[in-house]
Amino acid sequence: MEATNPSPSSMSGVAAASAAELLCCANARALLDSVDAFLFDCDGVIWKGDKLIDGIPQTLEMLRSKGKKLVFVTNNSTKSRIQYANKFQSLGLSVNQDEIFSSSFAAAMYLKVNQFPPHKKVYVIGGEGIVQELQLAGFTALGGPVGAVVVGLDPDINYYKLQYATLCIRENPGCLFIATNRDSVGHMTDLQEWPGAGCMVAAVCGSTEQEPIVVGKPSTFMMDFLLQKFNVSTSRMCMVGDRLDTDILFGQNAGCKTLLVLSGVTTQSTLDDPSNSIKPDYYTNKVSDILSLLGE
């Protein structure tokens, strides 16, 4: 199982197929009827930092009451699935670990399905989430020899970490360079955007002169696990996200319907910009618009 990145030509071809529709009463009902599973990004969609976005609990409850499967697919690698389940619970949302697919989990699964030798070690630039998922998959993030470097969001990034990652990738034969994701910014708080994992990944790309294997969105690597778990056709799924180049592109690459919410990174002006070739099927201000438009 390989994690692949879409080519620019295929991206623009799929994305430019039709203009995005503003979500309204009529198409919201049609979308609900045509979808069995909703895939939600988290940062900027469900919450910002540690603050829920308005109307989320009621909207998720309504979707569950109508028999829809809910899955949370996040590129934020700072937490493991267990830690994310705890965060959902702390915010009053009932979400279990099996409904969460994080890029930290994807990094561990990439190594597992590609039979990474268990005697080799993994060097991590990133948070506890990556280390925890690696341990659950049977891999060790301490010691040597290092056979893979995983780079994710690391608020404690420093020059030593960059140097050691560079050394491993350039001098250890066959050492894998894996990126959880390449998001340029993210919502570490509810007030402002902070530098994302893409900044750390770019630094290692610069020093090694190599490109990473990206396992998070928009790579469809995680979709293989979603399909195994939920047994729902991608044509009956809708990806809901706030980023065009990760969430919406992920949904399009996998053959899902797509809904962009303007509660996070992407603004209306970015969506409407003539240079933007990634167009979702639908867009709206926030997730809870689904609830109000359906009159539930």
Side-chain angles (χ1 to χ4, degrees):
M1 188 183 296
E2 291 290 330
T4 57
N5 295 316
S7 67
S9 58
S10 64
M11 285 162 43
S12 59
V14 173
S18 59
E21 291 182 34
L22 176 64
L23 203 65
C24 62
C25 294
N27 59 23
R29 175 64 62 186
L31 176 63
L32 189 72
D33 292 342
S34 68
V35 168
D36 296 323
F38 283 87
L39 315 182
F40 291 97
D41 178 43
C42 295
D43 296 316
V45 177
I46 302 298
W47 56 59
K48 284 186 176 181
D50 292 321
K51 184 178 179 182
L52 275 182
I53 293 173
D54 292 344
I56 287 295
Q58 300 89 336
T59 306
L60 298 185
E61 183 180 348
M62 179 273 290
L63 292 174
R64 287 194 191 276
S65 73
K66 295 187 178 300
K68 307 303 180 184
K69 295 178 180 178
L70 306 184
V71 188
F72 301 88
V73 187
T74 175
N75 266 0
N76 190 326
S77 63
T78 56
K79 292 180 173 61
S80 65
R81 289 169 300 154
I82 294 172
Q83 291 170 320
Y84 271 115
N86 291 337
K87 177 170 182 175
F88 276 105
Q89 185 176 22
S90 72
L91 292 172
L93 299 177
S94 180
V95 175
N96 66 56
Q97 180 182 327
D98 290 339
E99 295 174 311
I100 302 166
F101 289 79
S102 61
S103 62
S104 53
F105 171 70
M109 288 302 99
Y110 180 84
L111 293 173
K112 192 166 187 176
V113 300
N114 285 285
Q115 301 179 324
F116 182 74
H119 70 277
K120 289 191 174 183
K121 305 301 187 287
V122 183
Y123 182 65
V124 175
I125 293 180
E128 181 61 28
I130 300 173
V131 175
Q132 197 171 107
E133 291 291 357
L134 288 171
Q135 290 172 340
L136 289 170
F139 302 116
T140 306
L142 293 172
V146 173
V149 172
V150 177
V151 183
L153 180 61
D154 189 343
D156 299 314
I157 187 75
N158 60 44
Y159 191 73
Y160 169 79
K161 291 181 179 181
L162 293 174
Q163 161 60 4
Y164 193 69
T166 301
L167 194 67
C168 292
I169 294 169
R170 294 185 68 170
E171 298 194 8
N172 291 4
C175 183
L176 299 173
F177 173 19
I178 298 170
T180 59
N181 63 296
R182 300 187 84 158
D183 295 36
S184 57
V185 294
H187 286 281
M188 299 283 282
T189 70
D190 63 322
L191 298 176
Q192 57 196 185
E193 294 172 356
W194 291 57
C199 303
M200 293 84 193
V201 174
V204 180
C205 287
S207 60
T208 61
E209 299 183 321
Q210 290 189 33
E211 288 296 307
I213 299 160
V214 182
V215 294
K217 299 171 291 186
S219 163
T220 54
F221 177 73
M222 279 195 285
M223 184 57 74
D224 296 313
F225 295 94
L226 286 170
L227 293 173
Q228 289 174 20
K229 183 73 180 177
F230 295 100
N231 194 30
V232 175
S233 167
T234 56
S235 65
R236 300 284 301 178
M237 294 180 180
C238 179
M239 179 68 215
V240 184
D242 69 316
R243 293 188 66 102
L244 293 166
D245 58 347
T246 55
D247 304 322
I248 302 307
L249 196 53
F250 170 76
Q252 291 176 342
N253 290 340
C256 305
K257 296 174 178 64
T258 53
L259 170 62
L260 175 75
V261 289
L262 303 176
S263 52
V265 170
T266 303
T267 63
Q268 182 79 54
S269 60
T270 301
L271 174 63
D272 295 338
D273 193 305
S275 67
N276 168 42
S277 63
I278 304 171
K279 304 290 185 183
D281 295 314
Y282 307 100
Y283 71 96
T284 192
N285 287 322
K286 57 186 183 300
V287 169
S288 61
D289 290 345
I290 300 171
L291 190 67
S292 56
L293 288 170
L294 293 174
E296 298 288 342

PDB file of all heavy atoms in Angstrom, residues 230-267:
ATOM      1  N   PHE A 230     -15.506   0.941   7.488  1.00  0.00           N
ATOM      2  CA  PHE A 230     -16.902   1.358   7.434  1.00  0.00           C
ATOM      3  C   PHE A 230     -17.694   0.771   6.267  1.00  0.00           C
ATOM      4  O   PHE A 230     -18.912   0.885   6.237  1.00  0.00           O
ATOM      5  CB  PHE A 230     -16.986   2.889   7.421  1.00  0.00           C
ATOM      6  CG  PHE A 230     -16.474   3.502   8.691  1.00  0.00           C
ATOM      7  CD1 PHE A 230     -15.195   4.037   8.745  1.00  0.00           C
ATOM      8  CD2 PHE A 230     -17.248   3.517   9.836  1.00  0.00           C
ATOM      9  CE1 PHE A 230     -14.707   4.587   9.917  1.00  0.00           C
ATOM     10  CE2 PHE A 230     -16.774   4.069  11.013  1.00  0.00           C
ATOM     11  CZ  PHE A 230     -15.499   4.600  11.059  1.00  0.00           C
ATOM     12  N   ASN A 231     -17.028   0.192   5.299  1.00  0.00           N
ATOM     13  CA  ASN A 231     -17.709  -0.476   4.191  1.00  0.00           C
ATOM     14  C   ASN A 231     -18.767   0.420   3.533  1.00  0.00           C
ATOM     15  O   ASN A 231     -19.906   0.022   3.326  1.00  0.00           O
ATOM     16  CB  ASN A 231     -18.348  -1.784   4.683  1.00  0.00           C
ATOM     17  CG  ASN A 231     -18.766  -2.680   3.527  1.00  0.00           C
ATOM     18  OD1 ASN A 231     -18.146  -2.661   2.463  1.00  0.00           O
ATOM     19  ND2 ASN A 231     -19.812  -3.463   3.734  1.00  0.00           N
ATOM     20  N   VAL A 232     -18.358   1.641   3.239  1.00  0.00           N
ATOM     21  CA  VAL A 232     -19.224   2.599   2.546  1.00  0.00           C
ATOM     22  C   VAL A 232     -18.509   3.042   1.277  1.00  0.00           C
ATOM     23  O   VAL A 232     -17.324   3.378   1.308  1.00  0.00           O
ATOM     24  CB  VAL A 232     -19.520   3.837   3.434  1.00  0.00           C
ATOM     25  CG1 VAL A 232     -20.317   4.884   2.656  1.00  0.00           C
ATOM     26  CG2 VAL A 232     -20.265   3.427   4.693  1.00  0.00           C
ATOM     27  N   SER A 233     -19.217   3.054   0.164  1.00  0.00           N
ATOM     28  CA  SER A 233     -18.625   3.514  -1.088  1.00  0.00           C
ATOM     29  C   SER A 233     -18.248   4.988  -0.970  1.00  0.00           C
ATOM     30  O   SER A 233     -18.975   5.777  -0.350  1.00  0.00           O
ATOM     31  CB  SER A 233     -19.619   3.320  -2.233  1.00  0.00           C
ATOM     32  OG  SER A 233     -19.198   4.014  -3.386  1.00  0.00           O
ATOM     33  N   THR A 234     -17.112   5.366  -1.548  1.00  0.00           N
ATOM     34  CA  THR A 234     -16.694   6.772  -1.474  1.00  0.00           C
ATOM     35  C   THR A 234     -17.709   7.701  -2.132  1.00  0.00           C
ATOM     36  O   THR A 234     -17.817   8.873  -1.749  1.00  0.00           O
ATOM     37  CB  THR A 234     -15.317   6.987  -2.132  1.00  0.00           C
ATOM     38  OG1 THR A 234     -15.357   6.510  -3.489  1.00  0.00           O
ATOM     39  CG2 THR A 234     -14.231   6.236  -1.375  1.00  0.00           C
ATOM     40  N   SER A 235     -18.480   7.189  -3.087  1.00  0.00           N
ATOM     41  CA  SER A 235     -19.508   8.022  -3.734  1.00  0.00           C
ATOM     42  C   SER A 235     -20.649   8.359  -2.773  1.00  0.00           C
ATOM     43  O   SER A 235     -21.433   9.270  -3.024  1.00  0.00           O
ATOM     44  CB  SER A 235     -20.063   7.325  -4.974  1.00  0.00           C
ATOM     45  OG  SER A 235     -20.758   6.142  -4.613  1.00  0.00           O
ATOM     46  N   ARG A 236     -20.717   7.626  -1.650  1.00  0.00           N
ATOM     47  CA  ARG A 236     -21.738   7.870  -0.626  1.00  0.00           C
ATOM     48  C   ARG A 236     -21.135   8.551   0.605  1.00  0.00           C
ATOM     49  O   ARG A 236     -21.719   8.539   1.677  1.00  0.00           O
ATOM     50  CB  ARG A 236     -22.403   6.554  -0.207  1.00  0.00           C
ATOM     51  CG  ARG A 236     -23.098   5.808  -1.330  1.00  0.00           C
ATOM     52  CD  ARG A 236     -24.421   6.421  -1.706  1.00  0.00           C
ATOM     53  NE  ARG A 236     -25.370   6.464  -0.594  1.00  0.00           N
ATOM     54  CZ  ARG A 236     -26.584   7.002  -0.688  1.00  0.00           C
ATOM     55  NH1 ARG A 236     -26.985   7.554  -1.837  1.00  0.00           N
ATOM     56  NH2 ARG A 236     -27.410   7.028   0.360  1.00  0.00           N
ATOM     57  N   MET A 237     -19.935   9.126   0.442  1.00  0.00           N
ATOM     58  CA  MET A 237     -19.276   9.867   1.509  1.00  0.00           C
ATOM     59  C   MET A 237     -19.210  11.341   1.146  1.00  0.00           C
ATOM     60  O   MET A 237     -19.158  11.703  -0.031  1.00  0.00           O
ATOM     61  CB  MET A 237     -17.837   9.373   1.714  1.00  0.00           C
ATOM     62  CG  MET A 237     -17.697   7.959   2.227  1.00  0.00           C
ATOM     63  SD  MET A 237     -15.925   7.542   2.412  1.00  0.00           S
ATOM     64  CE  MET A 237     -16.039   5.853   3.004  1.00  0.00           C
ATOM     65  N   CYS A 238     -19.167  12.185   2.174  1.00  0.00           N
ATOM     66  CA  CYS A 238     -18.945  13.618   1.963  1.00  0.00           C
ATOM     67  C   CYS A 238     -17.830  14.077   2.887  1.00  0.00           C
ATOM     68  O   CYS A 238     -17.911  13.901   4.103  1.00  0.00           O
ATOM     69  CB  CYS A 238     -20.210  14.428   2.252  1.00  0.00           C
ATOM     70  SG  CYS A 238     -19.985  16.220   2.044  1.00  0.00           S
ATOM     71  N   MET A 239     -16.782  14.647   2.302  1.00  0.00           N
ATOM     72  CA  MET A 239     -15.675  15.204   3.083  1.00  0.00           C
ATOM     73  C   MET A 239     -15.986  16.655   3.402  1.00  0.00           C
ATOM     74  O   MET A 239     -16.240  17.466   2.511  1.00  0.00           O
ATOM     75  CB  MET A 239     -14.366  15.099   2.294  1.00  0.00           C
ATOM     76  CG  MET A 239     -13.153  15.684   3.019  1.00  0.00           C
ATOM     77  SD  MET A 239     -12.688  14.736   4.475  1.00  0.00           S
ATOM     78  CE  MET A 239     -12.121  16.055   5.572  1.00  0.00           C
ATOM     79  N   VAL A 240     -15.968  16.984   4.689  1.00  0.00           N
ATOM     80  CA  VAL A 240     -16.253  18.339   5.159  1.00  0.00           C
ATOM     81  C   VAL A 240     -14.978  18.919   5.746  1.00  0.00           C
ATOM     82  O   VAL A 240     -14.429  18.376   6.707  1.00  0.00           O
ATOM     83  CB  VAL A 240     -17.363  18.337   6.228  1.00  0.00           C
ATOM     84  CG1 VAL A 240     -17.707  19.770   6.621  1.00  0.00           C
ATOM     85  CG2 VAL A 240     -18.599  17.596   5.734  1.00  0.00           C
ATOM     86  N   GLY A 241     -14.487  20.009   5.176  1.00  0.00           N
ATOM     87  CA  GLY A 241     -13.238  20.576   5.663  1.00  0.00           C
ATOM     88  C   GLY A 241     -13.128  22.060   5.406  1.00  0.00           C
ATOM     89  O   GLY A 241     -13.964  22.650   4.711  1.00  0.00           O
ATOM     90  N   ASP A 242     -12.067  22.655   5.980  1.00  0.00           N
ATOM     91  CA  ASP A 242     -11.868  24.100   5.834  1.00  0.00           C
ATOM     92  C   ASP A 242     -10.691  24.442   4.938  1.00  0.00           C
ATOM     93  O   ASP A 242     -10.414  25.614   4.706  1.00  0.00           O
ATOM     94  CB  ASP A 242     -11.671  24.755   7.203  1.00  0.00           C
ATOM     95  CG  ASP A 242     -10.350  24.357   7.855  1.00  0.00           C
ATOM     96  OD1 ASP A 242     -10.009  23.148   7.821  1.00  0.00           O
ATOM     97  OD2 ASP A 242      -9.659  25.238   8.400  1.00  0.00           O
ATOM     98  N   ARG A 243      -9.985  23.421   4.438  1.00  0.00           N
ATOM     99  CA  ARG A 243      -8.824  23.678   3.578  1.00  0.00           C
ATOM    100  C   ARG A 243      -9.055  23.089   2.190  1.00  0.00           C
ATOM    101  O   ARG A 243      -9.444  21.921   2.053  1.00  0.00           O
ATOM    102  CB  ARG A 243      -7.555  23.057   4.165  1.00  0.00           C
ATOM    103  CG  ARG A 243      -7.069  23.679   5.458  1.00  0.00           C
ATOM    104  CD  ARG A 243      -5.702  23.112   5.821  1.00  0.00           C
ATOM    105  NE  ARG A 243      -4.704  23.509   4.847  1.00  0.00           N
ATOM    106  CZ  ARG A 243      -3.818  24.488   5.038  1.00  0.00           C
ATOM    107  NH1 ARG A 243      -3.807  25.159   6.179  1.00  0.00           N
ATOM    108  NH2 ARG A 243      -2.945  24.800   4.107  1.00  0.00           N
ATOM    109  N   LEU A 244      -8.783  23.877   1.176  1.00  0.00           N
ATOM    110  CA  LEU A 244      -8.944  23.408  -0.200  1.00  0.00           C
ATOM    111  C   LEU A 244      -7.871  22.400  -0.577  1.00  0.00           C
ATOM    112  O   LEU A 244      -8.156  21.357  -1.178  1.00  0.00           O
ATOM    113  CB  LEU A 244      -8.893  24.603  -1.163  1.00  0.00           C
ATOM    114  CG  LEU A 244     -10.049  25.603  -1.071  1.00  0.00           C
ATOM    115  CD1 LEU A 244      -9.707  26.878  -1.825  1.00  0.00           C
ATOM    116  CD2 LEU A 244     -11.342  24.993  -1.592  1.00  0.00           C
ATOM    117  N   ASP A 245      -6.607  22.702  -0.223  1.00  0.00           N
ATOM    118  CA  ASP A 245      -5.484  21.896  -0.714  1.00  0.00           C
ATOM    119  C   ASP A 245      -5.269  20.597   0.056  1.00  0.00           C
ATOM    120  O   ASP A 245      -4.466  19.761  -0.357  1.00  0.00           O
ATOM    121  CB  ASP A 245      -4.187  22.716  -0.713  1.00  0.00           C
ATOM    122  CG  ASP A 245      -3.824  23.251   0.669  1.00  0.00           C
ATOM    123  OD1 ASP A 245      -4.679  23.208   1.580  1.00  0.00           O
ATOM    124  OD2 ASP A 245      -2.685  23.719   0.839  1.00  0.00           O
ATOM    125  N   THR A 246      -5.994  20.393   1.154  1.00  0.00           N
ATOM    126  CA  THR A 246      -5.885  19.130   1.898  1.00  0.00           C
ATOM    127  C   THR A 246      -7.248  18.441   1.964  1.00  0.00           C
ATOM    128  O   THR A 246      -7.454  17.400   1.353  1.00  0.00           O
ATOM    129  CB  THR A 246      -5.323  19.361   3.314  1.00  0.00           C
ATOM    130  OG1 THR A 246      -6.130  20.326   4.003  1.00  0.00           O
ATOM    131  CG2 THR A 246      -3.893  19.846   3.247  1.00  0.00           C
ATOM    132  N   ASP A 247      -8.192  19.026   2.688  1.00  0.00           N
ATOM    133  CA  ASP A 247      -9.491  18.397   2.903  1.00  0.00           C
ATOM    134  C   ASP A 247     -10.269  18.173   1.606  1.00  0.00           C
ATOM    135  O   ASP A 247     -10.697  17.057   1.306  1.00  0.00           O
ATOM    136  CB  ASP A 247     -10.356  19.263   3.845  1.00  0.00           C
ATOM    137  CG  ASP A 247      -9.670  19.534   5.162  1.00  0.00           C
ATOM    138  OD1 ASP A 247      -8.994  18.624   5.685  1.00  0.00           O
ATOM    139  OD2 ASP A 247      -9.807  20.660   5.688  1.00  0.00           O
ATOM    140  N   ILE A 248     -10.474  19.245   0.862  1.00  0.00           N
ATOM    141  CA  ILE A 248     -11.297  19.147  -0.342  1.00  0.00           C
ATOM    142  C   ILE A 248     -10.597  18.306  -1.403  1.00  0.00           C
ATOM    143  O   ILE A 248     -11.219  17.457  -2.056  1.00  0.00           O
ATOM    144  CB  ILE A 248     -11.649  20.555  -0.883  1.00  0.00           C
ATOM    145  CG1 ILE A 248     -12.399  21.368   0.193  1.00  0.00           C
ATOM    146  CG2 ILE A 248     -12.473  20.436  -2.161  1.00  0.00           C
ATOM    147  CD1 ILE A 248     -13.622  20.682   0.777  1.00  0.00           C
ATOM    148  N   LEU A 249      -9.302  18.485  -1.538  1.00  0.00           N
ATOM    149  CA  LEU A 249      -8.555  17.693  -2.518  1.00  0.00           C
ATOM    150  C   LEU A 249      -8.553  16.210  -2.128  1.00  0.00           C
ATOM    151  O   LEU A 249      -8.656  15.336  -2.990  1.00  0.00           O
ATOM    152  CB  LEU A 249      -7.125  18.222  -2.637  1.00  0.00           C
ATOM    153  CG  LEU A 249      -6.324  17.787  -3.862  1.00  0.00           C
ATOM    154  CD1 LEU A 249      -7.078  18.064  -5.159  1.00  0.00           C
ATOM    155  CD2 LEU A 249      -4.968  18.491  -3.875  1.00  0.00           C
ATOM    156  N   PHE A 250      -8.448  15.928  -0.839  1.00  0.00           N
ATOM    157  CA  PHE A 250      -8.533  14.548  -0.345  1.00  0.00           C
ATOM    158  C   PHE A 250      -9.862  13.927  -0.764  1.00  0.00           C
ATOM    159  O   PHE A 250      -9.909  12.809  -1.295  1.00  0.00           O
ATOM    160  CB  PHE A 250      -8.393  14.551   1.177  1.00  0.00           C
ATOM    161  CG  PHE A 250      -8.688  13.239   1.846  1.00  0.00           C
ATOM    162  CD1 PHE A 250      -7.777  12.200   1.808  1.00  0.00           C
ATOM    163  CD2 PHE A 250      -9.874  13.049   2.548  1.00  0.00           C
ATOM    164  CE1 PHE A 250      -8.037  10.988   2.440  1.00  0.00           C
ATOM    165  CE2 PHE A 250     -10.154  11.849   3.179  1.00  0.00           C
ATOM    166  CZ  PHE A 250      -9.231  10.815   3.128  1.00  0.00           C
ATOM    167  N   GLY A 251     -10.949  14.645  -0.519  1.00  0.00           N
ATOM    168  CA  GLY A 251     -12.261  14.137  -0.893  1.00  0.00           C
ATOM    169  C   GLY A 251     -12.388  13.908  -2.384  1.00  0.00           C
ATOM    170  O   GLY A 251     -12.901  12.876  -2.830  1.00  0.00           O
ATOM    171  N   GLN A 252     -11.895  14.860  -3.171  1.00  0.00           N
ATOM    172  CA  GLN A 252     -11.968  14.721  -4.625  1.00  0.00           C
ATOM    173  C   GLN A 252     -11.110  13.558  -5.126  1.00  0.00           C
ATOM    174  O   GLN A 252     -11.534  12.788  -5.988  1.00  0.00           O
ATOM    175  CB  GLN A 252     -11.537  16.031  -5.286  1.00  0.00           C
ATOM    176  CG  GLN A 252     -12.532  17.164  -5.072  1.00  0.00           C
ATOM    177  CD  GLN A 252     -12.052  18.481  -5.644  1.00  0.00           C
ATOM    178  OE1 GLN A 252     -10.869  18.666  -5.921  1.00  0.00           O
ATOM    179  NE2 GLN A 252     -12.971  19.422  -5.808  1.00  0.00           N
ATOM    180  N   ASN A 253      -9.913  13.435  -4.593  1.00  0.00           N
ATOM    181  CA  ASN A 253      -9.030  12.335  -5.018  1.00  0.00           C
ATOM    182  C   ASN A 253      -9.644  10.977  -4.731  1.00  0.00           C
ATOM    183  O   ASN A 253      -9.402  10.004  -5.450  1.00  0.00           O
ATOM    184  CB  ASN A 253      -7.680  12.447  -4.310  1.00  0.00           C
ATOM    185  CG  ASN A 253      -6.849  13.612  -4.789  1.00  0.00           C
ATOM    186  OD1 ASN A 253      -7.066  14.142  -5.877  1.00  0.00           O
ATOM    187  ND2 ASN A 253      -5.890  14.040  -3.975  1.00  0.00           N
ATOM    188  N   ALA A 254     -10.426  10.910  -3.643  1.00  0.00           N
ATOM    189  CA  ALA A 254     -11.016   9.630  -3.237  1.00  0.00           C
ATOM    190  C   ALA A 254     -12.379   9.375  -3.878  1.00  0.00           C
ATOM    191  O   ALA A 254     -12.932   8.281  -3.747  1.00  0.00           O
ATOM    192  CB  ALA A 254     -11.153   9.598  -1.713  1.00  0.00           C
ATOM    193  N   GLY A 255     -12.941  10.375  -4.558  1.00  0.00           N
ATOM    194  CA  GLY A 255     -14.246  10.208  -5.192  1.00  0.00           C
ATOM    195  C   GLY A 255     -15.421  10.525  -4.289  1.00  0.00           C
ATOM    196  O   GLY A 255     -16.538  10.063  -4.526  1.00  0.00           O
ATOM    197  N   CYS A 256     -15.182  11.323  -3.237  1.00  0.00           N
ATOM    198  CA  CYS A 256     -16.250  11.729  -2.312  1.00  0.00           C
ATOM    199  C   CYS A 256     -16.915  13.018  -2.773  1.00  0.00           C
ATOM    200  O   CYS A 256     -16.347  13.775  -3.554  1.00  0.00           O
ATOM    201  CB  CYS A 256     -15.688  11.980  -0.913  1.00  0.00           C
ATOM    202  SG  CYS A 256     -14.767  10.625  -0.168  1.00  0.00           S
ATOM    203  N   LYS A 257     -18.097  13.280  -2.252  1.00  0.00           N
ATOM    204  CA  LYS A 257     -18.670  14.618  -2.357  1.00  0.00           C
ATOM    205  C   LYS A 257     -17.893  15.516  -1.395  1.00  0.00           C
ATOM    206  O   LYS A 257     -17.305  15.025  -0.425  1.00  0.00           O
ATOM    207  CB  LYS A 257     -20.152  14.593  -2.011  1.00  0.00           C
ATOM    208  CG  LYS A 257     -20.982  13.751  -2.991  1.00  0.00           C
ATOM    209  CD  LYS A 257     -22.414  13.620  -2.536  1.00  0.00           C
ATOM    210  CE  LYS A 257     -23.230  12.829  -3.552  1.00  0.00           C
ATOM    211  NZ  LYS A 257     -22.764  11.411  -3.677  1.00  0.00           N
ATOM    212  N   THR A 258     -17.889  16.812  -1.640  1.00  0.00           N
ATOM    213  CA  THR A 258     -17.083  17.700  -0.803  1.00  0.00           C
ATOM    214  C   THR A 258     -17.873  18.938  -0.384  1.00  0.00           C
ATOM    215  O   THR A 258     -18.623  19.512  -1.177  1.00  0.00           O
ATOM    216  CB  THR A 258     -15.807  18.153  -1.540  1.00  0.00           C
ATOM    217  OG1 THR A 258     -16.169  18.718  -2.816  1.00  0.00           O
ATOM    218  CG2 THR A 258     -14.860  16.982  -1.765  1.00  0.00           C
ATOM    219  N   LEU A 259     -17.668  19.317   0.893  1.00  0.00           N
ATOM    220  CA  LEU A 259     -18.305  20.511   1.444  1.00  0.00           C
ATOM    221  C   LEU A 259     -17.237  21.336   2.154  1.00  0.00           C
ATOM    222  O   LEU A 259     -16.614  20.867   3.110  1.00  0.00           O
ATOM    223  CB  LEU A 259     -19.410  20.128   2.432  1.00  0.00           C
ATOM    224  CG  LEU A 259     -20.017  21.258   3.272  1.00  0.00           C
ATOM    225  CD1 LEU A 259     -20.692  22.306   2.376  1.00  0.00           C
ATOM    226  CD2 LEU A 259     -21.005  20.706   4.294  1.00  0.00           C
ATOM    227  N   LEU A 260     -17.006  22.554   1.659  1.00  0.00           N
ATOM    228  CA  LEU A 260     -16.054  23.472   2.286  1.00  0.00           C
ATOM    229  C   LEU A 260     -16.790  24.355   3.289  1.00  0.00           C
ATOM    230  O   LEU A 260     -17.835  24.907   2.974  1.00  0.00           O
ATOM    231  CB  LEU A 260     -15.399  24.356   1.222  1.00  0.00           C
ATOM    232  CG  LEU A 260     -14.461  25.463   1.741  1.00  0.00           C
ATOM    233  CD1 LEU A 260     -13.135  24.862   2.208  1.00  0.00           C
ATOM    234  CD2 LEU A 260     -14.215  26.519   0.667  1.00  0.00           C
ATOM    235  N   VAL A 261     -16.223  24.467   4.498  1.00  0.00           N
ATOM    236  CA  VAL A 261     -16.755  25.416   5.475  1.00  0.00           C
ATOM    237  C   VAL A 261     -15.762  26.559   5.625  1.00  0.00           C
ATOM    238  O   VAL A 261     -14.548  26.356   5.606  1.00  0.00           O
ATOM    239  CB  VAL A 261     -17.040  24.749   6.834  1.00  0.00           C
ATOM    240  CG1 VAL A 261     -18.242  23.812   6.728  1.00  0.00           C
ATOM    241  CG2 VAL A 261     -15.830  23.985   7.366  1.00  0.00           C
ATOM    242  N   LEU A 262     -16.294  27.759   5.768  1.00  0.00           N
ATOM    243  CA  LEU A 262     -15.466  28.960   5.830  1.00  0.00           C
ATOM    244  C   LEU A 262     -15.165  29.385   7.272  1.00  0.00           C
ATOM    245  O   LEU A 262     -14.866  30.537   7.537  1.00  0.00           O
ATOM    246  CB  LEU A 262     -16.145  30.103   5.072  1.00  0.00           C
ATOM    247  CG  LEU A 262     -16.472  29.808   3.597  1.00  0.00           C
ATOM    248  CD1 LEU A 262     -17.237  30.974   2.972  1.00  0.00           C
ATOM    249  CD2 LEU A 262     -15.205  29.509   2.804  1.00  0.00           C
ATOM    250  N   SER A 263     -15.227  28.423   8.187  1.00  0.00           N
ATOM    251  CA  SER A 263     -15.000  28.700   9.608  1.00  0.00           C
ATOM    252  C   SER A 263     -13.545  28.537  10.009  1.00  0.00           C
ATOM    253  O   SER A 263     -13.193  28.756  11.173  1.00  0.00           O
ATOM    254  CB  SER A 263     -15.868  27.758  10.459  1.00  0.00           C
ATOM    255  OG  SER A 263     -15.682  26.398  10.071  1.00  0.00           O
ATOM    256  N   GLY A 264     -12.687  28.138   9.053  1.00  0.00           N
ATOM    257  CA  GLY A 264     -11.287  27.906   9.371  1.00  0.00           C
ATOM    258  C   GLY A 264     -10.339  28.694   8.498  1.00  0.00           C
ATOM    259  O   GLY A 264     -10.405  29.923   8.440  1.00  0.00           O
ATOM    260  N   VAL A 265      -9.474  27.977   7.781  1.00  0.00           N
ATOM    261  CA  VAL A 265      -8.386  28.607   7.031  1.00  0.00           C
ATOM    262  C   VAL A 265      -8.867  29.322   5.770  1.00  0.00           C
ATOM    263  O   VAL A 265      -8.464  30.448   5.485  1.00  0.00           O
ATOM    264  CB  VAL A 265      -7.318  27.545   6.667  1.00  0.00           C
ATOM    265  CG1 VAL A 265      -6.300  28.117   5.686  1.00  0.00           C
ATOM    266  CG2 VAL A 265      -6.612  27.055   7.929  1.00  0.00           C
ATOM    267  N   THR A 266      -9.747  28.693   4.991  1.00  0.00           N
ATOM    268  CA  THR A 266     -10.131  29.232   3.683  1.00  0.00           C
ATOM    269  C   THR A 266     -11.190  30.326   3.811  1.00  0.00           C
ATOM    270  O   THR A 266     -12.187  30.161   4.520  1.00  0.00           O
ATOM    271  CB  THR A 266     -10.664  28.113   2.769  1.00  0.00           C
ATOM    272  OG1 THR A 266      -9.669  27.097   2.649  1.00  0.00           O
ATOM    273  CG2 THR A 266     -10.980  28.653   1.375  1.00  0.00           C
ATOM    274  N   THR A 267     -10.984  31.410   3.111  1.00  0.00           N
ATOM    275  CA  THR A 267     -11.941  32.510   3.084  1.00  0.00           C
ATOM    276  C   THR A 267     -12.730  32.491   1.772  1.00  0.00           C
ATOM    277  O   THR A 267     -12.355  31.815   0.814  1.00  0.00           O
ATOM    278  CB  THR A 267     -11.222  33.862   3.208  1.00  0.00           C
ATOM    279  OG1 THR A 267     -10.352  34.027   2.061  1.00  0.00           O
ATOM    280  CG2 THR A 267     -10.388  33.934   4.477  1.00  0.00           C
TER     281      THR A 267
END
